Amino acid sequence: MRIQQLRDLLEYVANCRLDMAQLYGRLNNQADSARVKMMLDYFESHQKTMAEKLRDYIEEAPHRILDTWYKDFTFEDFTKRCQDTMLPANMNEDDVLNLHLDLENRLIGLLEKTVNSTTAEDARNALANLIRVEKTQQQRLVHSTIRMDDI
């Protein structure tokens, strides 16, 4: 994926979130364990919510930030990664959590790479805030997942 403007990047990340939601839905259909299915339902719902919130941010953010340009900025085909990802039917909670963290960390890494190549201060601040929110959400999600063990 080639990214030219910050708007493109944010839209791409929102689409990646929806790709993750589709992946979790597909894995849910294949999973044997009721606990794993519950976890995948939770992750799927969470990704859809995150994509919606990111799209809301895109609509509300100042154009001067969203119109920040990048030169020759590329990222992996995340859609293909999600489509090609398979887990066995006997997957467990750790398998799902590890997959989720890998995908999340790839997206956070993309945002961190972008903030490091951004010269416009407004855009840098916006991205830094988004990274902070993403990491906080990731921590909360992991904590919620760990609490599921207590159920």
Side-chain angles (χ1 to χ4, degrees):
M1 170 70 192
R2 186 160 180 241
I3 296 166
Q4 295 182 332
Q5 288 184 308
L6 183 57
R7 175 187 327 277
D8 300 332
L9 171 76
L10 298 179
E11 189 64 40
Y12 180 72
V13 171
N15 289 335
C16 289
R17 297 269 177 212
L18 294 176
D19 290 337
M20 289 170 68
Q22 285 182 335
L23 168 63
Y24 298 143
R26 180 172 48 85
L27 291 175
N28 190 343
N29 291 332
Q30 300 167 355
D32 291 339
S33 166
R35 290 179 65 81
V36 169
K37 287 179 172 287
M38 183 173 64
M39 184 181 216
L40 288 165
D41 279 338
Y42 179 68
F43 283 178
E44 180 180 7
S45 173
H46 178 75
Q47 292 309 311
K48 288 177 180 177
T49 300
M50 292 292 288
E52 184 179 320
K53 287 181 180 182
L54 195 50
R55 290 217 164 103
D56 290 345
Y57 176 79
I58 293 168
E59 288 180 21
E60 296 169 9
H63 289 285
R64 71 181 188 290
I65 293 174
L66 296 175
D67 293 342
T68 301
W69 282 87
Y70 296 93
K71 183 178 177 181
D72 298 326
F73 199 86
T74 58
F75 188 63
E76 72 174 298
D77 186 347
F78 199 85
T79 299
K80 182 169 176 25
R81 174 173 292 283
C82 288
Q83 290 171 345
D84 292 348
T85 298
M86 300 294 293
L87 289 177
N90 65 347
M91 66 188 98
N92 62 37
E93 292 95 344
D94 288 340
D95 295 332
V96 174
L97 182 59
N98 288 334
L99 169 63
H100 175 73
L101 291 176
D102 176 59
L103 295 173
E104 283 274 328
N105 288 333
R106 288 174 186 277
L107 293 180
I108 291 171
L110 170 62
L111 295 172
E112 289 172 337
K113 179 180 173 184
T114 306
V115 78
N116 291 335
S117 65
T118 302
T119 56
E121 193 63 31
D122 288 349
R124 280 182 66 83
N125 290 337
L127 279 170
N129 287 334
L130 180 58
I131 291 167
R132 184 183 47 74
V133 168
E134 291 279 347
K135 287 182 176 182
T136 301
Q137 287 292 327
Q138 183 183 53
Q139 289 172 343
R140 286 181 182 158
L141 189 75
V142 169
H143 289 272
S144 295
T145 303
I146 291 170
R147 280 194 301 266
M148 285 175 61
D149 288 339
D150 298 336
I151 295 176

